C-alpha cells in the first residue's frame, strides 16, 4: 500500500487489536491523531502524560491486553517515563509511541522544538527496549516486534519512536498480519523433578506473584489452589498476586509476605514453590531474607532462576502450563497441612489505624470489585493486609518501583477496560495530588468511580520514618487544599466521612452515582 507513516502505524495497531489509546496531542503527533480518528480508535485524554501511562497500565492489568500510550516528542514522552518504569517493574505490557526528531536531524542539535539529546536512549533505560525506526517501511515491523515481545515471555513495556517527518510522508509499505505466539511448554524433566520434590515435602509452601494474575475467567489461580490442596501446602501471595487466589480459603494466608511471621514461616518450609515472583526485597521488606529449604521456581523469565534466590529446580514456562504439568504428576496425599503461622497480632498492629475504613470498604464493596491502590499507608499497611479478596475481585497496586499518583488514572483505565465492574480508588492525600487533575478525565468520561482519600496531612510514611531516626519532620507536612472544593470545581461529587458508617453510606451512594465521587476520610 502507498501510505503515510501515520496511516501505516495506525493500520498496524488496528491489525493487532488496538481500539483504545491514551495520550495527549501535540505538534508532532497530530498526523497520528488524524488517522486514529479515521479508523474509529477511541481516544482517551488524561491531563498529563504520566496519567496516560498509568491509565494504560490499569487497562492492561484488567484486560491482559497491552495498553497503548501516544505522546508527543520531548516533554510528552519524558512525562510518561515514570509510568513506563512502573510498568517495567510490574511486568505490564505497555506500548509507548512517540514521534522523534526528523531523520536528518544533526546529532549535535540545532534547537528544534522539543529537541532532546537522545529521547530513545533515555526511555530505553527504563523499559524493555526502545526502538527508533529509520523508515516508514520499518514501522509495521516495529509494531509486530512490540506485540510479539508482550506474548513471547515476560511482558514488559516498550517504546517506539517515529521521526516526525515520516508521519506525513507517503511510501510503499506492506503491513503484515500479526503472527501467532504459542506458549512454550515446560521441560518435562524439570516438571518431573519439581513433582518429586513436592511429593516428598513435609512442610511445603507456595509463593504466588504477579505471574499468576490473569483477567477474570482464566484458571491459573484455581490451578495453584488445587495443587496446594493435594499437597496440604499453604499459600502466601505477593502484592501483585493479591486476589489471584481466594483469601478466604483455609490454605491461603493472603498478601502477607512482608510480615515477619510470614517470612519466618516461609524460611521454615522444606520446599517452596515460587510462581511468577521475583521474591524481591520490595515484597519481603527486608534485604537479608534466606530460605531454609529447597526452591522450585516457575517463571517465563529464565533470568529469574538465578536471582537473589537461586532455584534448585528451575521451571521456565508460563504459569498455567507449568501448574497443569505439576497437577498431572502430583497425587493427593492424606497428611494434614502443617500448622498455619500466627499472624494475627502483627496484622492487628499494622492495620489498627485504618480499622474503620477497612470495615466500611469490606461491607460496601461487591464481590467483583476492583480496588486500585496508591503507594499510600492506607493501602500497603491497611487494605493489602486487612481487606481480603476473593476472585473475581481485583487489586491493582504499583509495587516495586513504587510510584505515587498511580491510583486515580489507573482506575480510569481499569474502569474503561471493564465498565461493568465496580471500581474504587484508595489513596492518600499526598499521593492523590500527583495526578489530581485526572478528576477532570473521570468526569469527562462520566465514570462511576468512588475515590477514597485517607487524609493524614502529608507524606505520613516518610514523616514516621523521620521520627524513628529520630529527627524533626522535614518537608512532609502538606497544608492541604480543600479537596472537596477541588472536586466540585472539576464537576465531581464529594463528601467527608468522619465515621465508618458515614464512609459505608458514602461508598454505596458513590457506587450508584453517574460521576466520580471524592470521599475524604481523616486518618491522623
Amino acid at each position: 500500500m502507498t501510505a503515510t507513516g501515520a496511516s501505516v502505524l495506525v493500520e498496524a495497531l488496528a491489525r493487532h487489536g488496538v481500539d483504545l489509546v491514551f495520550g495527549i496531542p501535540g505538534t508532532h503527533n497530530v498526523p497520528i491523531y488524524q488517522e486514529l480518528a479515521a479508523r474509529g480508535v477511541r481516544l482517551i485524554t488524561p491531563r498529563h502524560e504520566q496519567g496516560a501511562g498509568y491509565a494504560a497500565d490499569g487497562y492492561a492489568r484488567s484486560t491482559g491486553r497491552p495498553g497503548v500510550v501516544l505522546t508527543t516528542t520531548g516533554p510528552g514522552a519524558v512525562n510518561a517515563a515514570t509510568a513506563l518504569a512502573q510498568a517495567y517493574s510490574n511486568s505490564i505490557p505497555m506500548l509507548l509511541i512517540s514521534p522523534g526528531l526528523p531523520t536528518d536531524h544533526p546529532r549535535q542539535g540545532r534547537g528544534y522544538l522539543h529537541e532532546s539529546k537522545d529521547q530513545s536512549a533515555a526511555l530505553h533505560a527504563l523499559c524493555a527496549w526502545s526502538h527508533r525506526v529509520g523508515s516508514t517501511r520499518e514501522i509495521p515491523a516495529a509494531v509486530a516486534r512490540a506485540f510479539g515481545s508482550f506474548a513471547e515471555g515476560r511482558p514488559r513495556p516498550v517504546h517506539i519512536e517515529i521521526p516526525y517527518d515520516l508521519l506525513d510522508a507517503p511510501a510503499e509499505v506492506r503491513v503484515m498480519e500479526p503472527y501467532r505466539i504459542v506458549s512454550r511448554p515446560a521441560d518435562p524433566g524439570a516438571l518431573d523433578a519439581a513433582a518429586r520434590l513436592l511429593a516428598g515435602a513435609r512442610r511445603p509452601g507456595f509463593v504466588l506473584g504477579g505471574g499468576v494474575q490473569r483477567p477474570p475467567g482464566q484458571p491459573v489461580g484455581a490451578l495453584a489452589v488445587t495443587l496446594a490442596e493435594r499437597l496440604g501446602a499453604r499459600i502466601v501471595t505477593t502484592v501483585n498476586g493479591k486476589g489471584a487466589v481466594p483469601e478466604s480459603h483455609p490454605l491461603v494466608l493472603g498478601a502477607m509476605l512482608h510480615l515477619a511471621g510470614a517470612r519466618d514461616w516461609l524460611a521454615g518450609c522444606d520446599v517452596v514453590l515460587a510462581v511468577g515472583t521475583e521474591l524481591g526485597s520490595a515484597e519481603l521488606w527486608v534485604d537479608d531474607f534466606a530460605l531454609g529449604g529447597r526452591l522450585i521456581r516457575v517463571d517465563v523469565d529464565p533470568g529469574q532462576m538465578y536471582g537473589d534466590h537461586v532455584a534448585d529446580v528451575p521451571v521456565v514456562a508460563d504459569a498455567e502450563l507449568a501448574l497443569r504439568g505439576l497437577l498431572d504428576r502430583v497425587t493427593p496425599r492424606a497428611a494434614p497441612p502443617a500448622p498455619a503461622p500466627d499472624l494475627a497480632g502483627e496484622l492487628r498492629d499494622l492495620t489498627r489505624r485504618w480499622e474503620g475504613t477497612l470495615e466500611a470498604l469490606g461491607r460496601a464493596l461487591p464481590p467483583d470489585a476492583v480496588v486500585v491502590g496508591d503507594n499510600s499507608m492506607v493501602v500497603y499497611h491497611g487494605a493489602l493486609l486487612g481487606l481480603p479478596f476473593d476472585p473475581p475481585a481485583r487489586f491493582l497496586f504499583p509495587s516495586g518501583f513504587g510510584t505515587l499518583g498511580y491510583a486515580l488514572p489507573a482506575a480510569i483505565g481499569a474502569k474503561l477496560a471493564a465498565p461493568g465492574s465496580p471500581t474504587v480508588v484508595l489513596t492518600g492525600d499526598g499521593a492523590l495530588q500527583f495526578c489530581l487533575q485526572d478528576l477532570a478525565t473521570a468526569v469527562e468520561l462520566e465514570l462511576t468511580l468512588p475515590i477514597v482519600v485517607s487524609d493524614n496531612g502529608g507524606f505520613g510514611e516518610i514523616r514516621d520514618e523521620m521520627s524513628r531516626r529520630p529527627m524533626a519532620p522535614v518537608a512532609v507536612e502538606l497544608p492541604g487544599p480543600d479537596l472537596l472544593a477541588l472536586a466540585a470545581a472539576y464537576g465531581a461529587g464529594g463528601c467527608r466521612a468522619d465515621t465508618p458508617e458515614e464512609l459505608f453510606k458514602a461508598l454505596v451512594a458513590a457506587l450508584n452515582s453517574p460521576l466520580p465521587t471524592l470521599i475524604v476520610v481523616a486518618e491522623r
Side-chain angles (χ1 to χ4, degrees):
M1 58 186 288
T2 300
T4 65
S7 60
V8 168
L9 170 66
V10 174
E11 177 67 23
L13 291 173
R15 293 196 187 192
H16 284 85
V18 175
D19 56 11
L20 181 68
V21 170
F22 301 90
I24 298 176
T27 297
H28 293 160
N29 68 9
V30 168
I32 305 174
Y33 268 74
Q34 181 180 11
E35 296 296 332
L36 287 168
R39 284 299 302 258
V41 176
R42 189 179 182 189
L43 301 166
I44 304 299
T45 310
R47 298 322 194 245
H48 189 282
E49 288 89 356
Q50 188 174 124
Y54 294 150
D57 179 302
Y59 175 88
R61 295 191 199 216
S62 298
T63 62
R65 298 166 55 193
V68 179
V69 183
L70 175 60
T71 74
T72 194
T73 319
V78 174
N79 280 346
T82 301
L84 199 69
Q86 183 62 63
Y88 183 87
S89 180
N90 288 160
S91 302
I92 304 302
M94 180 191 298
L95 172 58
L96 171 61
I97 301 168
S98 74
L101 294 175
T103 51
D104 62 353
H105 179 260
R107 279 290 177 183
Q108 65 268 35
R110 285 292 184 271
Y112 276 79
L113 176 67
H114 299 333
E115 182 180 82
S116 60
K117 185 177 177 183
D118 194 334
Q119 174 181 280
S120 184
L123 295 177
H124 180 81
L126 298 172
C127 62
W129 50 263
S130 173
H131 177 64
R132 175 179 164 93
V133 304
S135 68
T136 303
R137 293 180 59 189
E138 197 178 346
I139 293 172
V143 172
R145 178 190 174 199
F147 279 82
S149 73
F150 299 143
E152 286 173 330
R154 185 175 186 178
R156 276 180 152 165
V158 300
H159 169 237
I160 297 175
E161 177 179 301
I162 304 173
Y164 70 76
D165 58 317
L166 300 181
L167 295 177
D168 278 325
E172 290 286 333
V173 181
R174 178 186 177 190
V175 181
M176 67 281 293
E177 294 296 328
Y179 56 90
R180 183 169 177 263
I181 305 296
V182 179
S183 296
R184 180 172 57 184
D187 171 40
L191 290 175
D192 290 342
R196 286 193 298 271
L197 205 55
L198 288 168
R202 290 173 292 122
R203 300 181 307 281
F206 290 6
V207 182
L208 306 181
V212 180
Q213 287 285 12
R214 296 291 191 278
Q218 296 188 21
V220 183
L223 295 173
V225 170
T226 301
L227 183 62
E229 290 172 339
R230 288 190 185 180
L231 294 165
R234 299 198 180 275
I235 298 173
V236 67
T237 74
T238 68
V239 176
N240 283 331
K242 183 177 176 68
V245 293
E247 293 185 315
S248 62
H249 192 285
L251 289 176
V252 177
L253 303 177
M256 307 285 183
L257 192 59
H258 57 290
L259 297 188
R263 293 194 302 267
D264 291 344
W265 161 79
L266 191 64
C269 292
D270 59 345
V271 176
V272 171
L273 173 66
V275 185
T277 173
E278 293 171 322
L279 282 177
S281 60
E283 295 283 4
L284 293 157
W285 289 19
V286 293
D287 294 327
D288 57 353
F289 177 75
L291 291 168
R294 309 287 297 281
L295 175 62
I296 303 164
R297 299 199 76 150
V298 174
D299 208 290
V300 294
D301 182 358
Q304 290 303 310
M305 305 302 159
Y306 308 101
D308 290 341
H309 305 277
V310 177
D312 294 290
V313 179
V315 182
V316 180
D318 175 78
E320 180 176 353
L321 296 178
L323 289 169
R324 288 191 185 280
L326 290 173
L327 282 169
D328 288 341
R329 290 165 169 81
V330 172
T331 57
R333 62 184 186 187
D342 183 5
L343 306 176
E346 197 176 356
L347 181 62
R348 186 170 52 251
D349 289 344
L350 278 173
T351 61
R352 182 181 291 116
R353 189 188 307 184
W354 300 278
E355 190 174 53
T357 297
L358 300 177
E359 184 271 335
L361 282 163
R363 276 201 293 150
L365 294 181
D368 59 341
V370 178
V371 174
V372 188
D374 228 312
N375 254 299
S376 302
M377 298 176 76
V378 68
V379 182
Y380 52 76
H381 285 319
L384 177 62
L385 299 168
L387 191 63
F389 272 50
D390 284 2
R394 303 269 293 168
F395 185 81
L396 279 57
F397 180 74
S399 64
F401 195 63
T403 184
L404 290 171
Y406 171 88
L408 175 54
I412 291 171
K415 187 67 175 177
L416 291 169
S421 296
T423 303
V424 175
V425 173
L426 187 57
T427 185
D429 58 304
L432 176 67
Q433 292 180 71
F434 278 70
C435 282
L436 177 63
Q437 64 272 15
D438 272 321
L439 264 176
T441 312
V443 169
E444 175 190 355
L445 296 170
E446 298 182 343
L447 298 182
T448 296
L449 191 63
I451 303 161
V452 180
V453 184
S454 173
D455 184 358
N456 62 17
F459 299 127
E461 176 71 23
I462 310 305
R463 182 168 55 215
D464 289 353
E465 287 185 22
M466 289 177 173
S467 297
R468 289 194 296 268
R469 289 189 72 86
M471 62 178 280
V474 177
V476 291
E477 302 288 351
L478 301 180
D482 186 335
L483 293 175
L484 298 183
L486 282 171
Y490 280 117
C495 65
R496 183 172 296 278
D498 293 324
T499 68
E501 188 60 29
E502 288 178 357
L503 177 56
F504 169 74
K505 291 178 179 178
L507 282 165
V508 171
L511 287 166
N512 290 282
S513 170
L515 290 171
T517 305
L518 193 71
I519 305 170
V520 178
V521 181
E523 302 281 9
R524 300 199 72 170

